[in-house]
Amino acid sequence: TGLDGITGQSFFELFQGVLPILPLDAFALLQRFSKQVLGDASGLAGVASSFAPSLDNAIRQRKLAFAPDTPEVRQMIAGLNESHVFFGEYFYRIFGSEQEGVDYAL
């Protein structure tokens, strides 16, 4: 089907596997593009992610949280904020501990 001649894989096989890890800014741009083209989760984006579950995180990207609250983690966040254009839009907060983050998520 479609991509066999180019990649040696079918379209379905290509997107069911592991996607390469993209830089944070590339994920942000992919999400913005997917929202403009596919709409929200109730529209085509939901359909696309149901056919290609490995794209779900890129389509429905939310916020980034970190733990534990240490000087090293704060330094890493400062570096990410300086080196990635969209980091500030996705950074949510620093949890005091990993358990606090897990409890919040559940």
Side-chain angles (χ1 to χ4, degrees), residues 6-25:
I6 299 169
T7 66
Q9 295 177 307
S10 70
F11 186 78
F12 185 78
E13 290 170 328
L14 182 67
F15 289 107
Q16 289 300 315
V18 176
L19 291 177
I21 298 173
L22 300 174
L24 179 63
D25 290 332

Side-chain angles (χ1 to χ4, degrees), residues 5 11 16 35 38 42 46-49 54 57 68 72 76 79 81 86 90 94 98 101:
F11 186 78
Q16 289 300 315
K35 279 186 176 179
L38 301 174
S42 64
V47 174
S49 65
S54 57
N57 283 339
E72 294 82 8
M76 178 188 67
N81 200 34
F86 299 110
Y90 292 94
I94 303 171
E98 181 181 347

Side-chain angles (χ1 to χ4, degrees), residues 16 62 104:
Q16 289 300 315
R62 303 293 195 280
Y104 178 85

Side-chain angles (χ1 to χ4, degrees), residues 5-6 11 17 20 26-27 30 43 47 50 57 65 75 81 85 92 96:
I6 299 169
F11 186 78
F27 270 111
L30 180 60
V47 174
S50 71
N57 283 339
Q75 182 179 5
N81 200 34
V85 174
Y92 175 60

Side-chain angles (χ1 to χ4, degrees), residues 33-100:
F33 176 76
S34 68
K35 279 186 176 179
Q36 289 178 351
V37 173
L38 301 174
D40 62 16
S42 64
L44 283 175
V47 174
S49 65
S50 71
F51 283 107
S54 57
L55 292 176
D56 192 54
N57 283 339
I59 293 171
R60 302 175 198 226
Q61 197 173 28
R62 303 293 195 280
K63 295 287 186 180
L64 296 172
F66 297 85
D69 189 356
T70 64
E72 294 82 8
V73 169
R74 288 187 174 275
Q75 182 179 5
M76 178 188 67
I77 291 169
L80 288 168
N81 200 34
E82 290 174 11
S83 62
H84 293 85
V85 174
F86 299 110
F87 181 78
E89 293 181 32
Y90 292 94
F91 174 66
Y92 175 60
R93 66 179 279 196
I94 303 171
F95 289 100
S97 68
E98 181 181 347
Q99 188 60 52
E100 182 185 350

